[in-house]
Each structure stands twice: as structure tokens, then as C-alpha cells.
């Protein structure tokens, strides 16, 4: 009875912390998928991989890697498809970091910095305002898509965790 209660409390704590981590995904530079995965991995280790199996942890790891790196690979592939330069990608990363500290309003500073950075770097590179505006718009669109991918990966990690618990009970 006491051991079942401890197991239930550990499961409830893990799921609660994972859900909180998913909510934190909305904040810039908070690695939501990594946090959700870490909680699941720690639970698996503490439980001796009885409830969260090795295959479940492998799937969770793949989801974490895809979600955690989405801002990088989405920007790279998205900017390439839209015809902007790699320099606008660099500008969006530099601008995002600068915007986070210069405009200390969560999310807003980062996103504005990313858009302004991409716009400025593309304007310096090409000297065409229309092309620079397109790069800024594209950066904003890709930020939203990469956020959605990161959020979905975090939710999917939690779903795999719960499914593994359910299947091994």
C-alpha cells in the first residue's frame, strides 16, 4: 500500500511537472521539449525503466531533439525556401538575442528583435527594402511555425510518457 502510494505520487509529480514545462514553452529561450524530456528520463531512471521503457525513452528522445532544434532547422529550411539569404537567418538569431535583453517584455522583445535583425541584415546585404521586408515577414512566420513544432513535440513527449505508463501497468 505504501509503495503504491509513493509510486502514484511520483507519477503525479512527474506528469504535473511535465505539464508545467509545456506551459513554459511559450517563453523564449526556455527549452520546453528538453524540460519535459528530462522529467520523463529522470522518472524512467528512478523507476528502473519498468514503467517508462527503453523504446518509449528513445521515442521521447527523438521528439525532444526535433522539438528543441526546431528554431534552427525551421529557420534554415524556411528561409532557403522563401529565397532569403543565410545572412537574414543569422540576423534573426542575433536580433532575437538582442531583443530579449533590449526589450525586456517576454516574447515580444525576442520576436521583434528577430524580425528587425532579419530585416536589417537582409537590407544591408541586398539593399532592397522589399526583399528585406519579405525576410522580416518570413522570420516572423517561421518563428510561429517553430513554436508550434516545439509545443507539439512537448505534448507528444508527455503523451508517449503517459502511454508507456498505461501500457506497463
Amino acid at each position: 500500500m505504501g509503495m503504491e502510494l509513493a509510486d502514484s505520487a511520483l507519477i503525479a509529480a512527474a506528469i504535473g511537472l511535465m505539464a508545467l514545462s509545456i506551459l513554459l514553452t511559450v517563453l523564449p529561450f526556455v527549452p520546453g521539449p528538453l524540460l519535459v524530456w528530462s522529467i520523463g528520463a529522470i522518472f524512467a531512471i528512478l523507476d528502473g525503466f519498468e514503467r517508462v521503457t527503453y523504446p518509449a525513452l528513445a521515442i521521447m528522445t527523438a521528439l525532444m531533439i526535433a522539438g528543441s532544434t526546431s528554431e534552427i532547422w525551421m529557420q534554415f529550411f524556411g528561409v532557403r525556401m522563401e529565397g532569403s539569404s543565410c545572412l537574414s537567418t543569422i540576423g534573426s538569431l542575433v536580433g532575437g538575442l538582442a531583443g530579449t535583453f533590449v526589450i525586456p517584455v517576454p516574447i515580444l522583445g525576442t520576436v521583434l528583435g528577430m524580425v528587425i535583425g532579419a530585416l536589417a541584415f537582409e537590407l544591408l546585404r541586398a539593399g532592397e527594402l522589399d526583399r528585406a521586408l519579405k525576410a522580416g515577414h518570413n522570420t516572423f512566420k517561421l518563428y510561429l511555425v517553430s513554436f508550434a513544432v516545439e509545443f507539439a513535440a512537448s505534448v507528444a513527449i508527455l503523451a508517449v510518457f503517459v502511454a508507456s505508463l498505461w501500457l506497463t501497468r
Side-chain angles (χ1 to χ4, degrees):
M1 171 86 174
M3 192 58 123
E4 288 178 25
L5 185 59
D7 285 346
S8 295
L10 185 60
I11 290 170
I15 291 173
L17 288 171
M18 291 171 103
L20 177 63
S21 297
I22 289 170
L23 293 176
L24 292 175
T25 300
V26 301
L27 299 174
F29 303 113
V30 172
L34 180 61
L35 289 174
V36 176
W37 174 85
S38 297
I39 294 162
I42 290 169
F43 178 91
I45 292 167
L46 291 174
D47 192 54
F49 295 95
E50 289 182 27
R51 301 292 307 272
V52 177
T53 62
Y54 289 109
L57 187 61
I59 294 168
M60 289 166 52
T61 300
L63 289 166
M64 181 271 298
I65 291 169
S68 294
T69 60
S70 67
E71 287 187 18
I72 297 167
W73 57 265
M74 291 295 295
Q75 286 280 342
F76 178 75
F77 290 117
V79 169
R80 287 291 210 207
M81 288 188 291
E82 293 289 328
S84 297
S85 69
C86 285
L87 198 55
S88 64
T89 301
I90 294 168
S92 72
L93 294 173
V94 170
L97 283 172
T100 300
F101 297 108
V102 173
I103 306 169
V105 178
I107 303 171
L108 180 64
T110 304
V111 175
L112 277 174
M114 289 173 67
V115 171
I116 291 168
L119 193 145
F121 275 55
E122 192 65 24
L123 188 59
L124 286 173
R125 186 191 76 77
E128 298 174 24
L129 184 60
D130 287 344
R131 191 172 186 145
L133 289 171
K134 185 176 181 180
H137 178 263
N138 186 41
T139 296
F140 179 69
K141 183 173 63 174
L142 290 172
Y143 170 79
L144 293 177
V145 172
S146 68
F147 165 75
V149 168
E150 191 173 330
F151 187 81
S154 298
V155 171
I157 292 167
L158 175 60
V160 170
F161 180 84
V162 170
S164 185
L165 291 175
W166 179 262
L167 294 172
T168 58
R169 61 184 164 101

